[in-house]
Structure formats: structure tokens, C-alpha cells
């Protein structure tokens, strides 16, 4: 009787927990958006555990199915599994990046290994793999999207070590768990370092370029540069050297287990580039062209610096140093192009720029936007919008989170709260997407006014959002931005081209005080200046890409002698010298704050920004051939060929369908003014 009573009480407790936890209930909210005000930090852990339990049961059911494996009872069934877990983590991971309170970050430490183990349970399960392999080996009769999703799932098993023996699978699982923890630790350290940088200098990391462009005090610029470029490299509790090294050594061990000599060999095996040699050749040409241009830029800046020397502002013989570049480049730009950011910023008030982003999407793709005041947001500065197609059908819900705050990680990104897919009832589930940036918030004295670079960032991130919103796939694993790393940036970068298109600018770029439309002569200056300073801009980006590749091309023997922070710095210095990087420029990201490759999935993949730019600039050339350039007919072809297809076809196949030819590698150099 006592045992029976305890069972009843236990069941009642579970039911009570479910009733109290919003994740364990259906969301009776507009468009299935998250009821943020009802979610407590304490809700995440039990919901994640329940999500893992439910997906485990769903996977067990697939394996236990007595029928022969088919696409529907195996691949499609897997695609529809784990919906509760996706629902919880979609909220949790987004908020850990935008509103990373100490409680959320502590929970991140707890759930990360748990989620890694749950994933390994799936992708190291030989019984499930046997069914997936059976479908893969008989996939000729499937349609193209089904073939792609099947191949992607099959490859995921293989690349996660399913073919290893029992000891190998166990070790692979251990490494996955440790890597998950280390990656989160790297990101947490960097967030703390960004806070320490602000405390030491009085400026935020996102405000660094503006500060360095305008600060007249050379000693202060030097101090700020050194603080910025040494983040995660102080030998204290937030030092990232040991973490980066352990990550690299574990990735190398994983690659070795799968028969690859280096992480780069393993990572690039299923990317567009295919191998490290192709990437190296691609980057070396860009580096040579950018450094040639950078030396010309130094000569121009030195002339201005010499004037300051002559005026007694600087000691005789002073030469351009890394901490001088932003400052003197801005002076050269003002002279060469008569372009002063203080004159452009008033036309780029943040609300106007958001309007411009939306206007471009409407003019090109017929998308309509309205503020969704009935949709709850997770932070008061966030705005929600409902997107509909020209026929009135729902496209999705957009959260716009533009402003920096102390508990938000640096940079800018697009992410999904919910991806597009077709559910078991055959309904097209529309995506819920966020763009997060770190633009300066308004102050008591002035509204939020954006630089030319920040305007491009807003358009860039919405290019990713369009890729997610306009997806018309059936399966989540290939919908939207679920494409290879060296393809995904094509769509964000091509959207940047519309930021300063005169036809679009006149719709949104209005002076925040007078309402005056931006003068065409100022537009011409902006567009002319976009190719300015490209030796530096391209060089620091290319240098970071080469540094990323250099780390991931080391085999276990190469890594063995690299043990200390001094060894890490020495290796980085050696790589920079060998790539031809001049002393006045450092990589955009140095090892200890290279979040992309140690915490954001871009390992041996940071080159993808430049690789995708070849595709983007060559594809955009098609718009440059037609009149008007903002051409809905051509945009419709772009939408149907690329944006609706996601990863349901090979990238090069889609590019050839749109362009009618392979990409032209010189398009990037021409577009950046480096040829």
C-alpha cells in the first residue's frame, strides 16, 4: 500500500511539474512563439531532460519497427523526433548568447555535456545506423531532397565515428563531451574578457573601431589596441591558451580515429572546397593582393602622419603602427573621398536602417512586414515582426535585437528559435528567426546612429534571415541555412549590396532631425569609399582565415611541442610572418579570442566568408547587368534557385542553375578593388 501511495504521489509530482513548466505545455501564443514572461531559469533543466527522454523513446521506436527500413519509417521519422528538445534549446541557446546571466551561464555548463551525450547516443547507435545505411544504399528511387537529407544523416553517423570499434566509439564520445565543455568555457572566458576590456578602457568591444578611428591621443590608442588584442591572453582565470590547445589536440585525435591526419582534412572533406590545399591556394592569392594594396594604404597614411610630425604633434621619425591604422585611415578617407562618418550617420538612425532592410526585401521579394505587438519579446529592447508573402501567407516571425548590452556576447548573428519544416500532419511550419547585433543604444543626448559598416551588418544578418524565412523544404536538416559553411555566407553577403543601392537608399536614408533624404552626392561618396582601405580589411580577414587553417592543419606530432601560452604566441607569430602579413596589421581574430573557430563551428572554415564572397559577387553581377538593378524578376529567380532550396541540392549545382557557369574566382578581387 505504501509503495502504491508513493507511486501515485510521484506521478502527481510529475503532472504538477508539467503543469508548471511552460516548455511541457502547448504554447497558446501567436504563431507558436515562446511565452518568455512565463519561463523561469529553473524550467530549462527539467524540460531538457524530458526532451532527451522523449527523443530517446522516439529513436527506440524507429529501431524497434519490425518493417524493413524505408525513408518514411527511418529518415523522416528521425527528422520529426526531438521536437520538445528543439523547442527548449531553441530558446535556451539564444538567450544564453543575448542575455547570458550568471544563472544561465552556470546552467549552460551543466546541460552542455548532457546534450552532447544525448547526441552521441543517437549517432553512435549501431542499430539506428543499420537502418539509415539500408535507406542510403537504396536511395536511387528517392526524390532529390530525400536523397540529400538521407546522405547528410548517413554522413553524420560516419563522421561521428559509428564505424569505429567499441573502444574507438567510447573514446570518440568522451572527446565530444569534453569538446562541448571546452567550447562553452572558451566563450565564457571571452565574454568575461570583453567585460574586463570595457572596465579597463571605458569602451565596449563593438565600439572599438569607432574609438580607434577618432581618438587623437596616440598613447591611449596604443594602450587600447594592446588591451583589445590581448583578450584571453593574460595568464589569469580567463586565459584561453590552454583551452584552445586542448580543443585542437582533441580534434586532431578525433580526426585520427576516423583516418584523417589533421582536423582540416576531416572538416573539409564534405565542404565545397574539398581539401586544405584548395583553401591554401585560394587564400594565398587574396593575401598577396591585399598586402600589395595595404602597402599603398600605409604610404597614404604616412603622408598624413608626417604632417602631424611637422606640426609638432608627434616625435620626429614616427611611423604608422597597428594602433594608428584606424585613425589615419579615417583621415585619408575623409580627404580622398571627402567622406566623414559624422555626415553620414545622421541618415542612418537605427530605425531607418531597419526600415531599409525591410524595404529592400519588399522591393525584391514582395515580402511585407508589420510589427507583431501581440508577440512577446525576451528583452524590452527587442522588437517582433510578422512577415507575410505577396499573397498574404505567413512567412515567419522575426525578432530584431540590435543593441549591445553587458550580458550579450559580441558580434552579430542570425539564429533560429524554430526552423522551417513540414510536420507530421503535412503542415508547413514557418520559422521564427532572430537577428542579433551590437549597435550602440540611444543615449539621453542622441539616438542610435550607425556607421556605414554597421549598416552593412544589418543587411548582412538579414540576408541570413531571408535564407531561413524563404525556405520551402520538407525536412529541417536541409532547410534554410542548413548548408555547408563555405556556402552559407553567400546569402548574407549578397544582401549587403542593397544597403547603398540608390533606389533603396532614397526609401529609408532620411536625416533623423530634418527628414531630408540622403543627397545623391553623399551616396556616390559612400559607394566610392566602399573599396577604400581594402588592403587592411581584406588582409586582416584573410590573415584570420590562414591562422585558422594553420592551427587545424597541424597533426599530432606538430602539436606535441606546443604546450604553453608562449608557444601559442610563437606559432601565431610564425604563421603571420610566413603568410606575408605586414607588421602594421594583425589578424582580425587572434587565437585567444577567435570565437568563430573555438566556439561557433567555424573550425577550418573561417575562409568561408571569402569563399562565399566569390559566389556572392559573381552572382550579384547578374543584377548589375539588368535595369532596374532592384529587379523583382531576377530576384524571383534568385529566391527560387537558392533561398527556397536550402541544402536540398548541392551548392555548385544551384550556382550553375542561376549563373549558367562556374564561379569566377577573380570576382572577389575586382569587387574589393584589389585587381
Amino acid at each position: 500500500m505504501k509503495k502504491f501511495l508513493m507511486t501515485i504521489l510521484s506521478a502527481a509530482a510529475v503532472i504538477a511539474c508539467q503543469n508548471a513548466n511552460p516548455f511541457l505545455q502547448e504554447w497558446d501564443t501567436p504563431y507558436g512563439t515562446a511565452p518568455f514572461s512565463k519561463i523561469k531559469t529553473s524550467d530549462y533543466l527539467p524540460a531538457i531532460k524530458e526532451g532527451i527522454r522523449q527523443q530517446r523513446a522516439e529513436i527506440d521506436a524507429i529501431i524497434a519497427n519490425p518493417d524493413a527500413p524505408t525513408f518514411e519509417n527511418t529518415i523522416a521519422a528521425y527528422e520529426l523526433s526531438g521536437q520538445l528538445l528543439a523547442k527548449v534549446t531553441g530558446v535556451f541557446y539564444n538567450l544564453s548568447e543575448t542575455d547570458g546571466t550568471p544563472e544561465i551561464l552556470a546552467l549552460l555548463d551543466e546541460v552542455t555535456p548532457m546534450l552532447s551525450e544525448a547526441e552521441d547516443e543517437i549517432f553512435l547507435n549501431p542499430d539506428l545506423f543499420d537502418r539509415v545505411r539500408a535507406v542510403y544504399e537504396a536511395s536511387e528511387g528517392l526524390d532529390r531532397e530525400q536523397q540529400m537529407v538521407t546522405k547528410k544523416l548517413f554522413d553524420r553517423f560516419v563522421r561521428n565515428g559509428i564505424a569505429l570499434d567499441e573502444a574507438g566509439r567510447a573514446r570518440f564520445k568522451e572527446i565530444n563531451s569534453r569538446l562541448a565543455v571546452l567550447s562553452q568555457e572558451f566563450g565564457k572566458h571571452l565574454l568575461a574578457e570583453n567585460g574586463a576590456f570595457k572596465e579597463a578602457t571605458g569602451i565596449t568591444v563593438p565600439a572599438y573601431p569607432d574609438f580607434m578611428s577618432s581618438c587623437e591621443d596616440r598613447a591611449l590608442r596604443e594602450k587600447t589596441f594592446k588591451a583589445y588584442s590581448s583578450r584571453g591572453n593574460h595568464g589569469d582565470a580567463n586565459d584561453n591558451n590552454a583551452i584552445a590547445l586542448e580543443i585542437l589536440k582533441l580534434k586532431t585525435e578525433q580526426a585520427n580515429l576516423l583516418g584523417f591526419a589533421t582536423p582540416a582534412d576531416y572538416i573539409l572533406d564534405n565542404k565545397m572546397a574539398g581539401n586544405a590545399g584548395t583553401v591554401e591556394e585560394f587564400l594565398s592569392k587574396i593575401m598577396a593582393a591585399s598586402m600589395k594594396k595595404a602597402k599603398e594604404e600605409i604610404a597614404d597614411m604616412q603622408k598624413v602622419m608626417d604632417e602631424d610630425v611637422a606640426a609638432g604633434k608627434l616625435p620626429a621619425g614616427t611611423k604608422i603602427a597597428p594602433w594608428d591604422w584606424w585613425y589615419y585611415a579615417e583621415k585619408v578617407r575623409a580627404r580622398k573621398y571627402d567622406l566623414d562618418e559624422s555626415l553620414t550617420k545622421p541618415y542612418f538612425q537605427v530605425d531607418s536602417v531597419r526600415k531599409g532592410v525591410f524595404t529592400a526585401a519588399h522591393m525584391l521579394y514582395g515580402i511585407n512586414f508589420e510589427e507583431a505587438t501581440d508577440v512577446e519579446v525576451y528583452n524590452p529592447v527587442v522588437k517582433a515582426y510578422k512577415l507575410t508573402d505577396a499573397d498574404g501567407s505567413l512567412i515567419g516571425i522575426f525578432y530584431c535585437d540590435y543593441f549591445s548590452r553587458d550580458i550579450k556576447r559580441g558580434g552579430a548573428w542570425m539564429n533560429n528559435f524554430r526552423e522551417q519544416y513540414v510536420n507530421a500532419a503535412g503542415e508547413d511550419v514557418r520559422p521564427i528567426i532572430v537577428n542579433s547585433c551590437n549597435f550602440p543604444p540611444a543615449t539621453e543626448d542622441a539616438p542610435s546612429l550607425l556607421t556605414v559598416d554597421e549598416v552593412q551588418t544589418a543587411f548582412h544578418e538579414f540576408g541570413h534571415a531571408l535564407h531561413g524565412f524563404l525556405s520551402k523544404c520538407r525536412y529541417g536538416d536541409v532547410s534554410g541555412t542548413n548548408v555547408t559553411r563555405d556556402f552559407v555566407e553567400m546569402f548574407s553577403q549578397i544582401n549587403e549590396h542593397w544597403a547603398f543601392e540608390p533606389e533603396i537608399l532614397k526609401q529609408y536614408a532620411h536625416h533623423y532631425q530634418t527628414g531630408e533624404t540622403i543627397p545623391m552626392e553623399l551616396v556616390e561618396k559612400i559607394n566610392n569609399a566602399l573599396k577604400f582601405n581594402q588592403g587592411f580589411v581584406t588582409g586582416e580577414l584573410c590573415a584570420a582565415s590562414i591562422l585558422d587553417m594553420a592551427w587545424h592543419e597541424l597533426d599530432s606530432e606538430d602539436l606535441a611541442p606546443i604546450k604553453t601560452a608562449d608557444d601559442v604566441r610563437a606559432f601565431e607569430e610564425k604563421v603571420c610572418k610566413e603568410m606575408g602579413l605586414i607588421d602594421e596589421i594583425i589578424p582580425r581574430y587572434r587565437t585567444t579570442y577567435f570565437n568563430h573557430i573555438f566556439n561557433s563551428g567555424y573550425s577550418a572554415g573561417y575562409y568561408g566568408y571569402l569563399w562565399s564572397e566569390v559566389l556572392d559577387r559573381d552572382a550579384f553581377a547578374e543584377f548589375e547587368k539588368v535595369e532596374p538593378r532592384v529587379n523583382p524578376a531576377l530576384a524571383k529567380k534568385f529566391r527560387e534557385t537558392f533561398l527556397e532550396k536550402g541544402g536540398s541540392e548541392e551548392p555548385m549545382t544551384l550556382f550553375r542553375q542561376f549563373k549558367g557557369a562556374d564561379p569566377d574566382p577573380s570576382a572577389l578581387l575586382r569587387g574589393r578593388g584589389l585587381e
Side-chain angles (χ1 to χ4, degrees):
M1 180 67 182
K2 184 177 180 181
K3 185 177 179 181
F4 174 74
L5 203 57
M6 290 298 294
T7 303
I8 294 293
L9 290 172
S10 177
V14 170
I15 293 169
C17 177
Q18 290 178 340
N19 288 338
N21 192 320
F23 287 113
L24 304 181
Q25 304 169 33
E26 289 296 318
W27 287 345
D28 184 19
T29 56
Y31 318 107
T33 52
F36 294 107
S37 63
K38 295 181 180 179
I39 297 171
K40 303 184 296 294
T41 302
S42 59
D43 292 326
Y44 289 112
L45 184 58
I48 287 171
K49 288 180 176 179
E50 176 60 17
I52 291 172
R53 188 199 67 77
Q54 286 189 17
Q55 187 168 35
R56 184 181 292 129
E58 291 159 350
I59 297 300
D60 287 345
I62 294 172
I63 295 169
N65 191 326
D67 297 335
T70 65
F71 181 87
E72 289 301 326
N73 70 22
T74 301
I75 310 299
Y78 164 76
E79 285 288 311
L80 292 172
S81 72
Q83 290 185 17
L84 172 59
L85 191 57
K87 177 181 175 180
V88 184
T89 56
V91 175
F92 178 67
Y93 278 123
N94 274 291
L95 266 61
S96 72
E97 295 189 321
T98 62
D99 294 86
T101 64
E103 294 77 17
I104 288 285
L105 295 180
L107 184 58
L108 195 61
D109 289 340
E110 186 173 359
V111 304
T112 294
M114 186 185 304
L115 289 166
S116 175
E117 183 177 352
E119 185 170 308
D120 284 338
E121 272 188 29
I122 295 172
F123 292 104
L124 291 173
N125 186 318
D127 295 326
L128 180 60
F129 177 63
D130 286 344
R131 293 186 67 90
V132 170
R133 179 170 52 192
V135 178
Y136 173 73
E137 290 174 348
S139 59
E140 302 85 3
L142 303 178
D143 66 35
R144 187 58 179 151
E145 183 176 346
Q146 290 173 335
Q147 288 176 346
M148 289 295 290
V149 76
T150 301
K151 182 179 186 303
K152 188 171 184 178
L153 185 58
F154 175 82
D155 288 348
R156 193 169 175 188
F157 274 95
V158 173
R159 292 173 65 79
N160 274 276
I162 191 67
L164 299 174
D165 59 23
E166 187 174 344
R169 289 198 299 271
R171 179 57 184 153
F172 203 93
K173 185 177 178 180
E174 286 176 3
I175 293 173
N176 276 343
S177 180
R178 181 62 180 157
L179 283 173
V181 171
L182 289 169
S183 295
Q184 295 294 347
E185 199 70 16
F186 188 98
K188 282 175 59 182
H189 284 186
L190 183 54
L191 184 63
E193 284 289 271
N194 290 347
F197 172 77
K198 180 184 177 184
E199 188 174 336
T201 64
I203 62 171
T204 63
V205 167
Y208 174 78
D210 260 4
F211 175 83
M212 295 296 282
S213 298
S214 59
C215 178
E216 295 183 3
D217 185 334
R218 189 170 191 250
L220 182 56
R221 290 201 306 270
E222 180 179 0
K223 175 186 173 184
T224 305
F225 166 82
K226 289 180 176 177
Y228 179 89
S229 61
S230 62
R231 286 173 293 151
N233 203 7
H234 297 296
D236 57 12
N238 291 320
D239 193 280
N240 270 335
N241 284 288
I243 290 177
L245 274 176
E246 188 177 354
I247 287 173
L248 289 164
K249 289 177 180 179
L250 289 172
K251 285 184 176 180
T252 303
E253 185 181 349
Q254 274 195 328
N256 295 163
L257 284 169
L258 296 174
F260 296 94
T262 70
D265 293 334
Y266 164 63
I267 292 164
L268 292 167
D269 187 55
N270 67 346
K271 302 297 187 292
M272 288 185 77
N275 59 74
T278 300
V279 176
E280 286 176 1
E281 183 180 0
F282 170 71
L283 292 175
S284 66
K285 291 177 181 177
I286 297 171
M287 178 56 72
S290 60
M291 289 303 96
K292 180 181 177 183
K293 189 71 172 179
K295 290 172 184 175
E296 296 173 9
E297 293 164 358
I298 289 175
D300 288 340
M301 291 188 293
Q302 190 63 51
K303 290 175 185 176
V304 183
M305 178 179 266
D306 289 345
E307 293 175 13
D308 286 347
V309 171
K313 295 179 180 179
L314 295 171
T318 303
K319 299 296 181 185
I320 295 291
W323 46 88
D324 297 314
W325 199 296
W326 290 95
Y327 180 72
Y328 283 99
E330 186 59 31
K331 285 185 173 293
V332 172
R333 179 166 68 164
R335 294 185 183 191
K336 186 172 281 192
Y337 298 99
D338 191 24
L339 182 66
D340 185 340
E341 290 269 26
S342 67
L343 298 179
T344 62
K345 277 184 173 183
Y347 295 98
F348 298 129
Q349 195 269 343
V350 70
D351 291 332
S352 297
V353 173
R354 179 167 39 223
K355 177 186 174 184
V357 169
F358 292 170
T359 297
H362 175 73
M363 293 175 70
L364 288 161
Y365 305 110
I367 300 172
N368 299 303
F369 299 79
E370 61 177 295
E371 189 168 355
T373 54
D374 55 341
V375 170
E376 193 175 338
V377 294
Y378 55 87
N379 188 295
V381 303
V382 177
K383 290 190 175 182
Y385 296 87
K386 175 185 176 183
L387 280 62
T388 54
D389 216 334
D391 63 2
S393 60
L394 179 68
I395 288 178
I397 300 299
F398 178 58
Y399 294 110
C400 191
D401 184 355
Y402 272 170
F403 301 114
S404 63
R405 45 190 180 270
D406 290 343
I407 56 175
K408 188 180 193 180
R409 79 165 172 88
W413 62 94
M414 165 268 186
N415 215 342
N416 292 80
F417 279 90
R418 182 176 73 201
E419 294 185 330
Q420 181 269 328
Y421 70 101
V422 175
N423 66 18
E427 300 163 334
D428 183 13
V429 177
R430 299 311 304 166
I432 300 171
I433 290 173
V434 61
N435 272 179
S436 192
C437 302
N438 271 281
F439 300 150
T443 66
E444 291 182 5
D445 301 322
S448 176
L449 304 177
L450 305 188
T451 65
V452 167
D453 285 345
E454 287 166 339
V455 173
Q456 287 181 301
T457 296
F459 276 80
H460 177 104
E461 296 308 332
F462 199 72
H464 283 309
L466 284 170
H467 200 188
F469 277 129
L470 297 180
S471 176
K472 286 190 174 180
C473 297
R474 285 168 287 165
Y475 309 104
D477 268 358
V478 294
S479 76
T481 57
N482 287 315
V483 299
T484 61
R485 286 286 187 189
D486 50 8
F487 186 47
V488 72
E489 296 297 335
M490 171 184 172
F491 308 100
S492 54
Q493 290 172 173
I494 205 165
N495 205 54
E496 289 183 36
H497 292 290
W498 304 116
F500 304 115
E501 181 66 30
E503 190 177 347
I504 291 172
L505 266 173
K506 67 184 180 182
Q507 301 292 325
Y508 81 90
H510 305 293
H511 197 286
Y512 80 97
Q513 290 173 315
T514 67
E516 172 198 16
T517 301
I518 191 169
M520 280 302 105
E521 58 267 26
L522 195 52
V523 175
E524 289 176 15
K525 289 177 183 178
I526 290 172
N527 282 310
N528 289 336
L530 288 177
K531 292 183 180 179
F532 172 69
N533 203 34
Q534 281 300 318
F536 171 81
V537 172
T538 310
E540 63 162 9
L541 175 60
C542 190
S545 303
I546 293 172
L547 179 61
D548 166 32
M549 289 301 300
W551 276 123
H552 289 94
E553 286 183 85
L554 298 178
D555 60 26
S556 54
E557 193 172 313
D558 297 325
L559 276 168
I562 304 176
K563 297 176 180 178
T564 68
D566 286 341
D567 295 335
V568 172
R569 286 189 284 269
F571 178 80
E572 185 177 293
E573 186 177 336
K574 173 175 171 286
V575 170
C576 289
K577 184 176 181 180
E578 290 175 348
M579 73 174 75
L581 186 66
I582 58 178
D583 292 340
E584 295 84 355
I585 301 176
I586 65 169
R588 178 171 295 183
Y589 300 105
R590 299 184 70 185
T591 302
T592 56
Y593 54 92
F594 208 158
N595 199 62
H596 283 77
I597 68 170
F598 292 114
N599 184 39
S600 294
Y602 274 82
S603 305
Y606 194 68
Y607 77 91
Y609 285 95
L610 290 165
W611 184 277
S612 294
E613 191 174 335
V614 171
L615 308 177
D616 123 55
R617 289 190 181 273
D618 203 25
F620 190 73
E622 297 301 295
F623 287 93
E624 294 175 314
K625 295 175 185 176
V626 298
E627 192 63 39
R629 189 178 292 187
V630 183
N631 192 296
L634 187 55
K636 182 174 184 288
K637 179 182 178 182
F638 185 83
R639 173 179 178 168
E640 292 174 347
T641 306
F642 289 118
L643 300 177
E644 293 181 358
K645 293 291 181 65
S648 63
E649 182 53 274
E650 294 291 349
M652 196 60 78
T653 299
L654 296 178
F655 189 90
R656 290 174 183 139
Q657 287 175 4
F658 180 77
K659 180 77 177 179
D662 286 347
D664 176 7
S666 63
L668 181 147
L669 297 179
R670 286 198 308 272
R672 287 180 173 248
L674 297 174
E675 268 197 345

